[in-house]
Amino acid sequence: MNRKATFADSFWGPDFQSTAGYDALKKHLKEGKQTCLSFEQFLRMRAKAEEDYSKCLQKCCKLTLETQETGTLRSAWDYLREQSEHTAHVHLEASGHLSDAAARLCEFTRRQKSERISKESSLCQSAKEKSSLYRKTNELKRVYEMKSSEFEQADLVMKKAKPNENSFSTKEWDKIIQKQLKSAQEVNRADALYRESVVKLERVRLQWEKDMTQFCELCETSEDSRIKMMQNEMWMYCNILSSKCVEEDLCCESVRSCLEGVSVHSDIQSFINRSGTGTERPAPVVFEQYRPTNQEDRLHNNSSPGDDPFEQHRPQFQFPLGQAFQPNRYLFN
């Protein structure tokens, strides 16, 4: 079974001055933080949407309060508004839960940042010291190599001149000796400074390595916590909406059950019984012939049609078939 790779083993490099590992970790932490901020913003926007929807639904219920409906349909209508108000409350609760989730995510991001600051500060300090001392050590190394080369040349000159010491004047010979001694002193001093700097650099390097290891471990722990936190909050987000959908569906189901009790016949009969004006209809209007009030006219009315002396002089109007009666057409001049 392969050993699990870790941050502490995976972000190094052979270049002594390289910061590639730190840069990669820093970039990933920044991207992770941005993901948290994006999800936090999403939760706040969704919470606002739920709150706005709840307010609109409550407004709908209030605006539709006035109605003259009666009977079983009125009961169903009132119950539908009541359940709509409950649905509005459900969405308002969802808004609160989503706002709480956004607040938890914000606090989590803030806490991770504060935990990382001290470790990152220590690492940056040791990295800066390591880089500075490394440049100084390289400069001391250059001086040491240069002085060593000068000593080597001076020593070589002296060794070559030694067999012919008598051919040199005392002053020339002393000059060769002094140059060799001076070079030896300078190389010894450069050697000591270079060695001291290497020892110090190694001590700083070990401290940097320790700080880098701790930073890597902290980053891995933070990343582990962040992924679990995001996973859990996304899961909770789905649970919040799912539970509210179930509650809303139960409200709709209860309204449907109430609507099953609506009786068309009962509501119609109830309206008739409550507001009906009676079953007796107005009598039909019939033609009533004029009857004279004096005795003479009454005698005429009682006589037979053949006894009427003026009957033969009455005009007889005949209307063409299919035409309406036009009074002005038959007026006498």
Side-chain angles (χ1 to χ4, degrees):
M1 182 177 180
N2 294 332
R3 178 175 175 272
K4 184 183 72 172
T6 63
F7 280 21
D9 296 330
S10 306
F11 292 94
W12 305 95
D15 186 354
F16 196 86
Q17 291 285 73
S18 175
T19 59
Y22 170 78
D23 294 340
L25 288 172
K26 185 72 174 176
K27 180 174 181 292
H28 187 67
L29 291 175
K30 184 178 180 180
E31 291 170 348
K33 178 183 178 181
Q34 185 58 48
T35 302
C36 289
L37 293 176
S38 297
F39 187 45
E40 179 190 342
Q41 183 182 17
F42 172 83
L43 289 173
R44 294 192 186 282
M45 292 177 67
R46 183 58 193 265
K48 183 65 167 56
E50 291 288 335
E51 182 183 1
D52 291 345
Y53 178 71
S54 175
K55 290 180 179 179
C56 288
L57 197 54
Q58 290 176 356
K59 186 178 180 181
C60 288
C61 294
K62 291 178 180 179
L63 291 176
T64 57
L65 184 60
E66 296 296 331
T67 179
Q68 302 301 322
E69 187 61 59
T70 60
T72 58
L73 186 60
R74 172 58 185 267
S75 299
W77 167 239
D78 289 342
Y79 189 70
L80 185 145
R81 286 192 306 102
E82 177 186 332
Q83 291 303 308
S84 295
E85 290 177 353
H86 179 68
T87 300
H89 181 67
V90 166
H91 284 279
L92 190 60
E93 282 186 342
S95 175
H97 292 323
L98 293 172
S99 295
D100 292 343
R104 286 195 302 271
L105 199 57
C106 179
E107 174 61 22
F108 173 80
T109 305
R110 186 200 63 77
R111 188 172 63 251
Q112 276 207 326
K113 181 180 179 181
S114 63
E115 290 174 352
R116 194 171 61 245
I117 286 177
S118 60
K119 293 292 183 183
E120 189 172 356
S121 177
S122 298
L123 175 61
C124 290
Q125 182 64 30
S126 60
K128 183 178 180 180
E129 187 176 357
K130 174 178 73 74
S131 178
S132 175
L133 193 55
Y134 180 73
R135 290 194 298 271
K136 180 180 178 181
T137 301
N138 281 337
E139 178 61 22
L140 290 173
K141 179 184 178 182
R142 186 188 66 79
V143 172
Y144 165 72
E145 290 175 344
M146 182 183 67
K147 296 300 180 180
S148 296
S149 177
E150 290 177 356
F151 172 75
E152 185 179 7
Q153 293 295 326
D155 189 60
L156 182 62
V157 169
M158 183 178 179
K159 287 179 179 179
K160 287 182 177 180
K162 186 71 174 174
N164 304 315
E165 181 180 352
N166 296 329
S167 62
F168 294 95
S169 65
T170 304
K171 185 177 181 181
E172 290 175 339
W173 182 248
D174 289 341
K175 186 177 179 180
I176 292 173
I177 292 175
Q178 289 300 321
K179 186 176 181 179
Q180 193 266 351
L181 290 175
K182 183 180 178 181
S183 297
Q185 291 174 352
E186 289 178 350
V187 76
N188 288 335
R189 185 166 52 253
D191 179 274
L193 292 173
Y194 176 46
R195 287 178 184 277
E196 181 182 359
S197 183
V198 168
V199 171
K200 188 182 295 186
L201 177 60
E202 180 60 15
R203 185 169 60 251
V204 171
R205 186 195 68 81
L206 291 174
Q207 181 61 44
W208 166 81
E209 187 174 301
K210 179 182 177 182
D211 292 340
M212 181 64 178
T213 301
Q214 291 178 350
F215 181 71
C216 289
E217 291 171 348
L218 177 63
C219 289
E220 185 168 358
T221 302
S222 298
E223 186 67 2
D224 181 88
S225 300
R226 185 187 70 85
I227 293 173
K228 289 179 179 177
M229 177 69 174
M230 290 286 291
Q231 180 190 30
N232 182 66
E233 290 301 332
M234 289 180 181
W235 196 290
M236 290 295 294
Y237 165 80
C238 293
N239 285 349
I240 291 170
L241 297 186
S242 178
S243 63
K244 300 310 173 184
C245 287
V246 170
E247 290 187 50
E248 189 169 1
D249 187 62
L250 289 175
C251 291
C252 293
E253 185 60 33
S254 64
V255 172
R256 284 191 288 267
S257 298
C258 181
L259 288 171
E260 290 176 354
V262 174
S263 172
V264 177
H265 176 74
S266 175
D267 283 8
I268 291 176
Q269 291 302 312
S270 176
F271 173 71
I272 291 173
N273 295 336
R274 184 179 64 258
S275 304
T277 58
T279 58
E280 184 179 355
R281 305 180 185 184
V285 179
V286 297
F287 177 78
E288 296 181 5
Q289 188 174 358
Y290 174 74
R291 297 181 180 278
T293 56
N294 57 51
Q295 186 69 22
E296 185 179 354
D297 290 340
R298 202 174 285 158
L299 290 173
H300 282 298
N301 288 338
N302 292 334
S303 62
S304 60
D307 296 334
D308 184 2
F310 300 102
E311 183 177 1
Q312 59 182 337
H313 301 292
R314 290 175 181 165
Q316 302 294 320
F317 298 105
Q318 293 183 356
F319 303 104
L321 184 65
Q323 292 186 5
F325 172 65
Q326 301 179 7
N328 294 335
R329 187 177 175 184
Y330 300 99
L331 293 177
F332 298 100
N333 294 325

